[in-house]
Structure formats: C-alpha cells, structure tokens
C-alpha cells in the first residue's frame, strides 16, 4: 500500500505541470465561459467530455503524430489521412454519447445534424492543434536535452584531454628532471675523478668505474627491455674492479665466458649484475684455493649463467633475498616457462646459483 501511495505521489510530481495546465484550462471553459453564456451543463457531462478531450489530446500527440512520422515524405499523405479518420471517429463518438445520455440511452439519427457535426469538428480540430503543438514542443525539449547531454559529454572529453595533456606535460617535466639529476651526479663524479686522478689514482679509478655502472643501470632502466649480454658482462667486470679496489685486490674470482659465442645474445638488463652483486654481498671471496666462479655458456640457444661462491659465515644475516626474488619475477614476466633460476648449497659450504634461459 505504501509503495502504491509513493508511486501515486511520484506520478503527480512528474506530471504536475500537466495537471496544473488542464486545471486552468477546464476552469476557464467551465466557469468563465459558463458565466458568459449564462448556463452550465451537468457535472457528469463535463466529466465525460473532458475525459474524452484529454484522451484525444494525448492520443493524437503520442499515437497519431509518431505513427505519421513527421518530417518525412510519407507524412505528407499519412498525417492528413489519420487526422481525417481521427476527426470522423471522435465527432461520431461525442455526438453518439451526447444523444445517448440526454435521451436516456436512446440514439436518434437526427442528432447527427450539421450544427452538431460542425461543433464537433471544430472542437476536435481545436484539441488536435493544441496536441500537435504539444508534440513538437516535447520533441524540441527532448532534442535540446539530447544536445545538452552531447555537449556535456563533448566538454567532458575536452576536459579529460586537457587533464591528460597536463599530466603528460608533468610526466615529461618529471622525466626531464630525472634526466637532469643523474646528469648532475655524473658531472660531479667526473669533477671528483679529475681532481683525484693525480693524488689518488686508485680512488679516481673507483669513481669512474662506479660512474659507468650507474650510467648503465639508468640507461638500462629507461631505454629497452633487452640489452646485449656483452654490455652486461662489461658492467660485471666494472663491478669486480670496484670491489677489488675496495678489498685491496684480495678477492679471488674466475670469470669464464666466450665473447664470440655471446656476441649476438640479448637478455633483460641487470640480471647478471644482480647475481654477481649478490655473490659479493654474501660470499667469502678471499680464499685463493676456493675462488668464486662466474661462468656463462651457450648451448643450442640455451643460455646458462652460473655463480659459485663460498658462503661468508661471518657476514651479518640481513638478507631477505630481494635481489634473487626480483630476478625470478622479471624472468617470469619476460620469458615465462623458458627461464628458471635455481639456488643450492653444495660441497665445501659453496652457494650455487644457476640461471637457464631458453632463447629459441
């Protein structure tokens, strides 16, 4: 019951303008016209014929007009024909009902006289004209609403494009800033290198090596998903050189690879560098009879990278294996099932890492 009341109230709110307009129109016709003519019809007569008039109004606007398809060639003959049929039916119906109620249920053909037909035709055309105006007004308002929505969507697209352009400018600006910051750092390192070269040549060499490693890391992050493995090997050699300087050349490392075999091989960057850095971080590399080994081999387009190093039992256990986990995730994304990384603890307390990448 409550839902029905809510629906009824909602209906009244949605069509309140219609109710108000019909109220004033009917008030004018009944009260004012009645006083002018000096006579009034019965209440039942008013109810019957205004229900028919209102029905004619909405029937013409919502059925006849859409069916005739205005603004088409078909409407040139269809609309007049439908209006003629509409007038004929409505005039006949109103005369029949008027005579039926006035004569207590009897209808006489005399009721269909020229005056009654003329008044009926006039009254019908009167409401049809108002209904036609209402139809075009509703269409105009509907089309205007559609145009407004379209314009609103167009403006939203413009705003989104503008915001996207703003974001692009900000991103480009941030990218330029990101380029400026490393550029400033490299200039600073170059300045330090030039001043340390004469007084501390080994420190100057360490600075230059560090600069080359950082430059490679930044370029590898910005430019491509793949890099030449020979460039990666070059950075590993720089990394070894840097750590050797730090350890006063006490590290024992064997680096095995065939440059000709690997000349055309491309891999994702910083994989080999990360494996070697992990070896330096957790390995004991000072024993001459137990050297760390880095080997790279290519067999039937399967790249095998292996590192072996003695575990440093004196190192603080702070590792969370982030570097190796990061490599595994990157390999999975790029190579899927064609790559796997295996770690194991072997003889003499050696830590072994084997990376296999199927390049086929």
């Amino acid at each position: 019951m409550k839902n029905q009341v809510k629906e009824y109230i909602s209906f009244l709110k949605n069509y309140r303008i219609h109710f108000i307009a019909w109220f004033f129109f009917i008030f004018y016709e009944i009260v004012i016209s009645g006083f002018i003519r000096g006579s009034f019809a019965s209440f039942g007569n008013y109810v019957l014929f205004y229900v028919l008039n209102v029905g004619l109004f909405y029937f013409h606007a919502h059925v006849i007009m859409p069916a005739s398809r205005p603004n088409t060639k078909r409407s040139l003959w269809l609309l007049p024909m439908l209006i003629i049929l509409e007038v004929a039916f409505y005039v006949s119906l109103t005369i029949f009902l008027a005579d039926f109620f006035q004569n207590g249920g009897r209808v006489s053909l005399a009721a269909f006289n020229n005056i009654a037909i003329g008044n009926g035709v006039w009254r019908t055309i009167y409401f049809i004209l108002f209904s036609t105006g209402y139809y075009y007004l509703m269409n105009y308002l509907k089309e205007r609403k559609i145009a407004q929505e379209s314009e609103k969507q167009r403006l939203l697209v413009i705003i989104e494009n503008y915001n996207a352009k703003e974001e692009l400018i900000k991103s480009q600006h941030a990218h330029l800033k990101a380029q400026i910051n490393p550029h400033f750092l490299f200039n600073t390192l170059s300045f330090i290198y030039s001043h340390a070269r004469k007084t501390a040549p080994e420190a100057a060499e360490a600075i230059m090596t560090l600069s080359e490693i950082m430059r490679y890391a930044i370029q590898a992050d910005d430019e491509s998903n793949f890099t030449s493995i020979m460039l990666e090997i070059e950075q590993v050699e720089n990394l070894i050189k840097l750590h050797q300087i730090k350890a006063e050349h006490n590290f024992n490392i064997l680096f095995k690879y065939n440059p000709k075999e690997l000349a055309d091989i491309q891999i994702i960057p910083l994989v080999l560098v990360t494996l070697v850095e992990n070896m330096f971080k957790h390995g004991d590399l000072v024993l001459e009879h137990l050297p760390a080994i880095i080997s790279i081999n290519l067999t039937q387009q399967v790249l095998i990278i292996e590192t072996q190093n003695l575990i440093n039992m004196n190192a603080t256990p702070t590792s969370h294996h982030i570097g190796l986990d990061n490599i595994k995730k990157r390999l999975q994304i790029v190579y899927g099932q064609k790559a796997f990384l295996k770690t194991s603890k072997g003889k003499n307390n050696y830590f072994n890492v084997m990376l296999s990448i199927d390049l086929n």
Side-chain angles (χ1 to χ4, degrees), residues 69-245:
R69 297 182 181 179
N71 303 322
T72 63
K73 291 182 179 180
R74 184 181 177 183
S75 67
L76 295 176
W77 62 267
L78 183 59
L79 181 59
M81 184 185 73
L82 291 175
I83 290 175
I84 291 170
L85 292 174
E86 188 178 18
V87 170
F89 175 80
Y90 188 75
V91 169
S92 300
L93 178 64
T94 53
I95 293 174
F96 173 83
L97 290 175
D99 197 48
F100 180 84
F101 286 107
Q102 285 177 1
N103 297 319
R106 292 177 297 174
V107 178
S108 171
L109 291 177
F112 291 86
N113 55 65
N114 292 336
I115 296 175
I117 293 173
N119 289 336
V121 170
W122 155 247
R123 190 74 173 168
T124 307
I125 293 176
Y126 177 75
F127 279 99
I128 285 176
L129 289 174
F130 274 112
S131 180
T132 303
Y134 164 78
Y135 169 80
Y136 281 110
L137 176 62
M138 290 299 101
N139 270 11
Y140 166 74
L141 294 176
K142 183 179 179 181
E143 290 175 1
R144 189 176 72 171
K145 185 177 181 181
I146 293 173
Q148 288 174 342
E149 286 296 324
S150 177
E151 181 65 15
K152 182 180 178 181
Q153 291 299 323
R154 190 182 70 85
L155 290 175
L156 287 174
V157 170
I158 291 174
I159 291 171
E160 288 176 1
N161 289 339
Y162 176 79
N163 290 337
K165 187 177 180 180
E166 287 289 306
E167 289 298 323
L168 179 61
I169 292 172
K170 288 180 181 178
S171 298
Q172 290 174 339
H173 181 63
H175 181 67
L176 290 174
K177 285 175 67 178
Q179 288 180 326
I180 291 171
N181 292 336
H183 183 71
F184 174 76
L185 175 62
F186 293 139
N187 284 345
T188 304
L189 290 174
S190 179
F191 172 77
I192 296 172
Y193 165 78
S194 62
H195 282 72
R197 187 173 54 182
K198 295 179 182 179
T199 57
E202 198 167 47
E205 185 180 356
I207 291 168
M208 185 54 63
T209 302
L210 175 63
S211 176
E212 290 177 3
I213 293 173
M214 292 179 64
R215 191 185 302 276
Y216 171 75
I218 292 171
Q219 289 176 346
D221 185 54
D222 285 345
E223 292 178 0
S224 176
N225 290 329
F226 292 90
T227 186
S228 168
I229 195 170
M230 294 308 300
L231 286 176
E232 191 90 351
I233 289 171
E234 183 180 336
Q235 300 315 310
V236 168
E237 290 175 339
N238 285 332
L239 186 63
I240 293 172
K241 184 191 299 183
L242 192 62
H243 280 279
Q244 288 285 23
I245 293 172

Side-chain angles (χ1 to χ4, degrees), residues 305-322:
I305 300 174
E306 294 181 280
T307 65
Q308 304 171 34
N309 61 272
L310 187 66
I311 298 173
N312 188 355
M313 304 304 294
N314 296 321
T316 304
T318 57
S319 172
H320 298 286
H321 304 290
I322 294 174

